[in-house]
Amino acid sequence: MGGGQRERIIIVGAGLTGALLACLLGEAGYDVVVYERRADPRKEGIVGGRSINLAISVRAIHALKLAGLDRKVLEDAIAMRGRMIHSPTGQLSFQPYSKNPNDAINSVSRGALNVTMLDAAQQYPNVTHHFDQRCVDVDIETPAVQLLNAQTNQTTWVQGDVVIGADGAFSAVRERMHLLDRFDYNQTYLAHGYKELCIPPTSDGEFAMDPNALHIWPRGGYMMIALPNKDRTFTCTLFWPFEGPHSFEAVRQEADVMPFFKAHFPDAVPLMPMLVEDFLSNPTSSLVTVRCGPWCYQDKVALIGDAAHAIVPFYGQGINAGFEDCVSLMECLKVCRGDWSKALATYFDRRKVHTDAIADLAISNFLEMRDHAASKLFRWKKKGERVVHRLLPQWYLPLYNMVSFSRIPYAQAVQKAKRQDRIVTAMLLMVLFILLVSLVWWIA
Amino acid sequence: MGGGQRERIIIVGAGLTGALLACLLGEAGYDVVVYERRADPRKEGIVGGRSINLAISVRAIHALKLAGLDRKVLEDAIAMRGRMIHSPTGQLSFQPYSKNPNDAINSVSRGALNVTMLDAAQQYPNVTHHFDQRCVDVDIETPAVQLLNAQTNQTTWVQGDVVIGADGAFSAVRERMHLLDRFDYNQTYLAHGYKELCIPPTSDGEFAMDPNALHIWPRGGYMMIALPNKDRTFTCTLFWPFEGPHSFEAVRQEADVMPFFKAHFPDAVPLMPMLVEDFLSNPTSSLVTVRCGPWCYQDKVALIGDAAHAIVPFYGQGINAGFEDCVSLMECLKVCRGDWSKALATYFDRRKVHTDAIADLAISNFLEMRDHAASKLFRWKKKGERVVHRLLPQWYLPLYNMVSFSRIPYAQAVQKAKRQDRIVTAMLLMVLFILLVSLVWWIA
């Protein structure tokens, strides 16, 4: 395909990444058709119970800006400026994310954000949406998608110039790419699952805890977190092993739930009137990391967002990474002047190393949040990082800040953090050495 | 299911692992039904062109012995006692595998071995085989398999008590397990592919090279190997990158084939009269490593052999590992007294770490064969290993020997090799230190 004519782009999935990509491709003048297996969330209401709140930060905000949506989205968000650690005895301590009080991650509702973005995408006359259309097969060579209409139960094949799978961690488009020769694929589950719970507003309609923080109950081996919502509730998420002596498997009876929470999250229990009911009725979900490659096939098929690289939620970067994919793909289309074959290959080459890096970071942040966040040593280290950052703001940026408050590509951020850490360690050793020599000299 | 009654075991795949498992389960008194997608090789003749010869060694021989097949199979095999290295100028050097001249790996034809094993399995009245039956779906909960008859094009569902997927690297049974929550899965392709070529007998009907060696043309970055066959041919396999300046992609024209071989494998060219035709007509195949887990679901479904852990062929251990799976599964059934649920879980627990270890070893042996086998340092190291092995035969066993000439579980062999290497290195350093001190003392 050349650069001139208007290609017909099929996007599978009208979730957050699919909807943003539809906006950006719509803006660029492409004909875009989006197929989504679920019903239109603007008609059916938002389905909760299985989605951790989203934390959007600089990367997602930059992408939203390109679609003219950043202000609208931030108006609906709640800024979280640090971690509020809840000790086993219920004591609180606040760890700011940054020396800069304007640096915050922003809690948004996945459902509300999706509605905002679908509305925006539908402003483009060259973008159309079809809901209740589940992609059940993909013909990669044509390319075409086979759709099952949830209302009529009929399937139809629809052909396009490019098919983009934005259909999430269990992508149907990826499942077909999986069958291609030399497609690398890796899915790895954590031994932990998660369950959503809720902290409603207080009796006088206020937030039950500080809304401008991400609340963490780190317990070593497991944890609970809570993020604020605009309706003054908090969505809590318990991350816990599936099996073992302390696990979802071990606590399944009504009588076991309350004793467990009273023993480990005593300060949360009074805030959770529906705790036992929620615990027993809400599903226990698994946490998967998916890596694969290549994400593209000729000028015909590509994967984006969770379909290309599902990550665990512990760095709050899933949606940020997915939105960055959209920005990268649009840049590649521009650089390659609409040559989709080159653009898709370039997009994969550029992004893969960075999404691999954030996948690793997300897993290690789980260990940090559940095991270390409560420790004194960890808090000193974080304080030390903020001190060095304050002294040498141009040179030293803590890793968390590079990931959450900058657009430095993920893999570069990891490299820079390693370099910084080596230098700071060397400097500390030198200072210690000088102190020691001075001490010896002084004694002598 | 209890231990007493005769369960009906469905095995998907009558390849080598499936056929051996059918023998062992048949011997143990189970009702076994085997479904194979290909035609009966005893009727249709053996299809070549895509299978590297097999090298069977102690692990496979032990498993065959349990089925009473070891002698018969070894009669049809050719012992390879070492590597014959072909230099770029055509010079030969022989590296024995072991200080013990009886230690050999045995070249067998996959097709002939399969026929031997199918004949053996059919001796059991409680084992039946169905060919031309492709498994197209699996109902894991029942369990049952859906089979497509290649002759009638009809599908039927067949129910069993246990379904065992012995259906190879692209297992249909595993594909269904893939959809289970919390199934870890990893498939990784090498950047190299392979192509089979042939060295026929000489004009007087003899082997064109020494038949009692595995021939290697290591060229750094790529290589060719050749294994002897009973009909006095050699099956050559060229391992080469798919893409790049020296690759299958770069050499696709008739005019390019001969110059490449003359430049890099000059001594092989006169032995390969069909070289250009074979090169252009034989397929280029990919090399995949598959890891997954768990390999079992309750007392209903299990994976075995390549379906559970496809590995690259460079350690010659694929079939040895698959046969060891069969032995392990039978041991687990015995230990768990026919409780399939416990037996399958135990089988997975016991085997997983070892098949992961051989998967890693197979990849690193590729680097060793293609890059290092030609180097002087490597040959000295191998000689050093043989010397230490000769001096301390009870204590020191080179890794290659533990893998190929012992039944020490793979992961334990890797651990033992690391320990040995550390001790030998420490001893060498000590000897050097003593020599140095003596030298200083002598000079002083």
Side-chain angles (χ1 to χ4, degrees):
Chain A
M1 285 177 288
Q5 73 263 55
R6 266 165 70 145
E7 288 105 351
R8 182 183 155 89
I9 316 300
I10 295 175
I11 298 178
V12 179
L16 298 175
T17 305
L20 177 65
L21 187 63
C23 289
L24 299 177
L25 286 171
E27 178 74 35
Y30 290 96
D31 281 331
V32 180
V33 195
V34 185
Y35 295 96
E36 165 60 46
R37 68 184 171 90
R38 278 176 287 243
D40 190 335
R42 294 163 298 185
K43 287 181 190 153
E44 299 284 322
I46 296 158
V47 182
R50 275 194 64 162
S51 81
I52 302 166
N53 303 37
L54 298 171
I56 63 169
S57 52
V58 168
R59 292 166 205 267
I61 294 167
H62 171 77
L64 288 165
K65 200 171 192 169
L66 298 181
L69 290 169
D70 53 322
R71 285 200 186 177
K72 168 88 185 79
V73 169
L74 285 178
E75 272 168 23
D76 295 338
I78 297 173
M80 300 181 289
R81 305 192 193 288
R83 295 166 168 174
M84 185 72 81
I85 306 297
H86 296 243
S87 83
T89 56
Q91 276 183 307
L92 299 182
S93 63
F94 182 74
Q95 301 172 358
Y97 281 129
S98 170
K99 73 165 182 82
N100 180 351
N102 288 328
D103 284 343
I105 59 176
N106 302 280
S107 176
V108 296
S109 139
R110 174 186 289 270
L113 179 57
N114 208 352
V115 166
T116 301
M117 301 191 61
L118 287 174
D119 283 343
Q122 286 205 327
Q123 299 297 311
Y124 297 96
N126 47 328
V127 176
T128 52
H129 288 81
H130 301 277
F131 292 91
D132 294 309
Q133 296 274 4
R134 175 193 290 269
C135 172
V136 288
D137 201 359
V138 180
D139 170 351
I140 283 178
E141 288 293 344
T142 303
V145 294
Q146 189 183 28
L147 300 156
L148 173 66
N149 186 315
Q151 256 120 43
T152 64
N153 223 19
Q154 300 287 308
T155 62
T156 43
W157 278 99
V158 180
Q159 195 176 329
D161 293 308
V162 185
V163 170
I164 299 180
D167 48 344
F170 301 97
S171 169
V173 180
R174 188 186 64 221
E175 206 174 293
R176 291 305 299 186
M177 308 240 328
H178 197 153
L179 302 180
L180 291 173
D181 191 26
R182 301 176 63 207
F183 184 74
D184 285 340
Y185 182 80
N186 186 335
Q187 71 181 33
T188 310
Y189 285 86
L190 291 189
H192 286 63
Y194 71 90
K195 192 185 275 289
E196 280 197 13
L197 302 165
C198 182
I199 292 180
T202 59
S203 54
D204 50 354
E206 285 306 312
F207 279 108
M209 306 183 294
D210 181 348
N212 293 117
L214 192 158
H215 294 261
I216 312 182
W217 290 258
R219 293 296 177 266
Y222 62 96
M223 69 171 177
M224 186 165 74
I225 67 169
L227 277 78
N229 299 308
K230 271 280 169 178
D231 63 2
R232 311 208 162 179
T233 61
F234 283 87
T235 304
C236 301
T237 313
L238 173 66
F239 296 96
W240 215 19
F242 276 105
E243 284 118 25
H246 294 281
S247 69
F248 283 116
E249 191 191 53
V251 175
R252 283 193 292 191
Q253 302 301 317
E254 195 170 336
D256 299 330
V257 178
M258 196 54 92
F260 165 68
F261 276 82
K262 279 191 172 156
H264 300 287
F265 310 113
D267 63 326
V269 171
L271 311 179
M272 304 170 93
M274 299 287 290
L275 171 58
V276 176
E277 294 89 321
D278 283 353
F279 189 94
L280 296 176
S281 62
N282 286 351
T284 305
S285 306
S286 54
L287 294 158
V288 70
T289 301
V290 174
R291 296 166 207 256
C292 65
W295 297 345
C296 52
Y297 179 71
Q298 297 175 4
D299 57 353
K300 294 172 179 173
V301 182
L303 301 173
I304 200 160
D306 286 357
H309 49 76
I311 63 178
V312 293
F314 304 104
Y315 225 113
Q317 285 293 312
I319 190 59
N320 291 281
F323 280 10
E324 245 185 4
D325 287 351
C326 299
V327 175
S328 172
L329 179 55
M330 296 309 296
E331 282 172 1
C332 294
L333 272 170
K334 210 171 165 186
V335 170
C336 301
R337 298 180 186 195
D339 178 335
W340 279 86
S341 181
K342 269 193 205 165
L344 296 181
T346 309
Y347 152 71
F348 171 64
D349 278 353
R350 286 191 184 178
R351 286 297 289 163
K352 174 67 173 160
V353 59
H354 300 302
T355 57
D356 279 349
I358 192 64
D360 291 337
L361 286 178
I363 291 168
S364 56
N365 217 40
F366 177 42
L367 306 181
E368 179 171 315
M369 288 169 84
R370 66 167 216 221
D371 299 344
H372 311 311
S375 84
K376 279 232 168 92
L377 187 68
F378 177 81
R379 276 186 272 169
W380 284 348
K381 190 174 170 257
K382 285 279 162 188
K383 260 188 199 157
E385 280 181 359
R386 286 198 298 274
V387 168
V388 182
H389 182 32
R390 205 181 291 268
L391 292 172
L392 302 163
Q394 296 304 315
W395 176 76
Y396 185 91
L397 265 172
L399 179 57
Y400 189 90
N401 298 46
M402 287 192 273
V403 170
S404 299
F405 309 126
S406 91
R407 295 202 297 120
I408 299 170
Y410 294 121
Q412 285 178 29
V414 170
Q415 286 308 315
K416 187 170 151 67
K418 278 186 190 159
R419 221 164 38 232
Q420 287 177 170
D421 277 356
R422 274 199 301 269
I423 295 174
V424 169
T425 308
M427 278 161 53
L428 274 179
L429 285 177
M430 225 187 309
V431 169
L432 272 179
F433 177 75
I434 292 170
L435 282 178
L436 198 74
V437 168
S438 314
L439 190 74
V440 169
W441 186 81
W442 181 78
I443 289 172
Chain B
M1 287 178 288
Q5 72 261 54
R6 265 164 72 143
E7 288 104 350
R8 182 181 153 89
I9 316 300
I10 294 175
I11 298 178
V12 179
L16 298 176
T17 305
L20 177 64
L21 186 63
C23 289
L24 298 177
L25 286 170
E27 178 73 35
Y30 290 97
D31 279 332
V32 180
V33 195
V34 184
Y35 295 96
E36 165 60 45
R37 69 184 173 89
R38 277 178 288 245
D40 190 334
R42 294 163 297 184
K43 287 179 192 156
E44 300 284 322
I46 296 157
V47 183
R50 276 194 65 161
S51 82
I52 302 167
N53 302 38
L54 299 170
I56 64 169
S57 51
V58 168
R59 292 165 205 268
I61 294 167
H62 170 77
L64 287 165
K65 198 171 194 170
L66 298 182
L69 290 169
D70 53 324
R71 285 197 187 180
K72 168 89 184 80
V73 170
L74 285 178
E75 272 168 24
D76 295 337
I78 298 174
M80 301 180 289
R81 306 192 193 287
R83 296 164 168 176
M84 185 71 81
I85 305 297
H86 296 242
S87 84
T89 55
Q91 278 186 304
L92 299 182
S93 63
F94 182 72
Q95 301 172 0
Y97 282 129
S98 170
K99 70 163 185 83
N100 180 352
N102 288 328
D103 284 343
I105 59 176
N106 302 279
S107 177
V108 296
S109 138
R110 175 187 289 272
L113 180 56
N114 207 352
V115 165
T116 302
M117 300 191 61
L118 287 173
D119 283 342
Q122 286 205 327
Q123 299 297 313
Y124 296 97
N126 47 328
V127 175
T128 52
H129 288 82
H130 301 276
F131 292 90
D132 294 309
Q133 296 274 6
R134 176 194 289 270
C135 173
V136 288
D137 201 0
V138 181
D139 171 350
I140 284 179
E141 288 294 344
T142 301
V145 294
Q146 190 183 29
L147 301 156
L148 173 66
N149 186 316
Q151 255 120 44
T152 64
N153 223 18
Q154 301 287 309
T155 62
T156 43
W157 278 100
V158 180
Q159 195 175 327
D161 293 309
V162 184
V163 170
I164 299 179
D167 48 346
F170 301 96
S171 167
V173 179
R174 188 186 64 220
E175 207 175 291
R176 292 304 302 187
M177 306 237 335
H178 198 155
L179 303 178
L180 291 173
D181 191 28
R182 301 175 63 209
F183 183 75
D184 284 341
Y185 181 81
N186 187 335
Q187 71 181 33
T188 309
Y189 285 86
L190 291 189
H192 286 63
Y194 71 91
K195 192 186 277 289
E196 281 195 12
L197 302 165
C198 182
I199 293 180
T202 58
S203 54
D204 50 354
E206 284 306 311
F207 280 108
M209 306 183 294
D210 180 349
N212 293 117
L214 193 157
H215 294 260
I216 312 183
W217 290 257
R219 293 296 178 264
Y222 62 96
M223 68 173 179
M224 186 166 73
I225 66 170
L227 277 78
N229 298 309
K230 271 278 167 178
D231 63 1
R232 310 205 165 183
T233 62
F234 284 87
T235 303
C236 300
T237 313
L238 173 67
F239 296 96
W240 213 19
F242 277 104
E243 284 118 25
H246 294 282
S247 69
F248 283 116
E249 192 190 52
V251 175
R252 283 192 293 193
Q253 303 302 316
E254 196 172 335
D256 300 331
V257 176
M258 196 55 91
F260 164 69
F261 276 82
K262 280 191 171 156
H264 300 288
F265 310 113
D267 62 326
V269 170
L271 312 179
M272 303 170 92
M274 300 288 291
L275 172 58
V276 176
E277 295 89 322
D278 283 354
F279 190 93
L280 296 175
S281 62
N282 286 350
T284 305
S285 306
S286 54
L287 294 158
V288 69
T289 301
V290 174
R291 296 166 207 255
C292 65
W295 297 345
C296 53
Y297 179 72
Q298 298 176 4
D299 56 354
K300 294 173 178 172
V301 182
L303 302 172
I304 200 158
D306 285 358
H309 49 77
I311 64 179
V312 292
F314 304 103
Y315 226 112
Q317 285 293 314
I319 190 59
N320 290 282
F323 280 11
E324 244 185 4
D325 287 351
C326 298
V327 175
S328 173
L329 179 55
M330 295 310 296
E331 282 172 2
C332 293
L333 272 170
K334 209 170 166 187
V335 170
C336 301
R337 299 179 184 195
D339 177 336
W340 278 86
S341 180
K342 268 193 205 163
L344 296 181
T346 309
Y347 153 70
F348 172 63
D349 278 353
R350 285 190 183 178
R351 286 297 289 161
K352 173 69 172 158
V353 59
H354 300 301
T355 57
D356 279 348
I358 191 64
D360 291 337
L361 286 179
I363 291 169
S364 55
N365 217 40
F366 177 41
L367 307 181
E368 179 171 316
M369 288 170 84
R370 66 169 215 222
D371 298 346
H372 311 312
S375 85
K376 280 235 169 90
L377 187 67
F378 177 81
R379 276 185 271 169
W380 284 348
K381 191 174 168 254
K382 285 278 161 188
K383 262 188 199 155
E385 279 181 0
R386 286 198 298 275
V387 168
V388 181
H389 182 32
R390 206 181 291 266
L391 291 173
L392 301 164
Q394 297 304 314
W395 175 74
Y396 186 90
L397 265 172
L399 179 57
Y400 189 90
N401 299 46
M402 287 192 274
V403 170
S404 299
F405 309 126
S406 91
R407 295 202 296 121
I408 299 171
Y410 294 122
Q412 284 176 31
V414 171
Q415 286 308 315
K416 187 169 153 66
K418 279 187 189 157
R419 222 164 36 233
Q420 288 176 172
D421 278 357
R422 273 198 302 269
I423 294 173
V424 169
T425 308
M427 278 160 53
L428 274 179
L429 285 177
M430 223 185 311
V431 168
L432 272 179
F433 177 76
I434 291 169
L435 283 178
L436 198 75
V437 168
S438 314
L439 190 74
V440 170
W441 186 81
W442 181 78
I443 290 172

